């Protein structure tokens, strides 16, 4: 919750800097030693963030950080793939994927060592292959 509180504060006080800092650091794991930083990815995330409204961002962070999806997850009975990087600095795996998979009737958990919250962008080559294999399976 501490991370999400800081996200709300960032969107309220200085959105432009918030969207630059989060993308440059924890979201894509660019703050990790040896990370291959992509300025294009950072600035694209910044651009997308700045296109949204401040109130919507603030309330969106509140909604996804405080909503309990337990009952919803328990009702899903179709095959469901839960993908999570074990170096997600935004949503720790122990607080999300490892809990969600226990609630799904027909879930598969795929953990990606060293991958960040932004793995769908910075590790698209791996993620897209696994998504396609799951859908075709």
């Amino acid at each position: 919750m501490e991370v999400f509180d800081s996200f709300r504060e960032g969107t309220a006080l200085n959105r432009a800097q918030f969207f630059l800092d989060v993308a440059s650091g924890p979201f894509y794991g660019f703050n990790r030693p040896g990370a291959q930083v992509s300025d294009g990815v950072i600035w694209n995330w910044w651009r997308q963030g700045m296109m949204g409204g401040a109130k919507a961002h603030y309330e969106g962070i509140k909604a996804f950080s405080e909503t309990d999806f337990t009952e919803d997850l328990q009702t899903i009975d179709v095959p469901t793939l839960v993908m999570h990087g074990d170096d997600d600095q935004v949503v720790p795996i122990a607080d999300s994927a490892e809990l969600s998979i226990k609630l799904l009737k027909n879930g598969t958990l795929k953990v990606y060592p060293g991958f960040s919250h932004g793995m769908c962008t910075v590790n698209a080559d791996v993620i897209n292959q696994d998504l396609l294999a799951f859908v075709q399976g």
Side-chain angles (χ1 to χ4, degrees), residues 7 11 16 24 29 31-32 35 39 42-43 45-46 65 85 87 103-104 107 119 123 125 127:
F7 278 19
T11 60
S24 299
N31 59 333
R32 295 298 197 209
D39 289 333
I42 292 167
W43 286 107
W45 203 77
W46 179 88
S65 66
D87 191 32
L103 300 170
L104 292 163
M119 68 185 189
N123 305 103
D125 55 333
I127 299 300

Side-chain angles (χ1 to χ4, degrees), residues 36-62:
Q36 292 184 318
V37 177
S38 170
D39 289 333
V41 167
I42 292 167
W43 286 107
N44 188 50
W45 203 77
W46 179 88
R47 178 191 59 79
Q48 292 175 62
M50 294 309 295
M51 288 173 54
K55 173 97 168 122
H57 285 143
Y58 189 90
E59 294 299 328
I61 293 165
K62 178 177 177 48

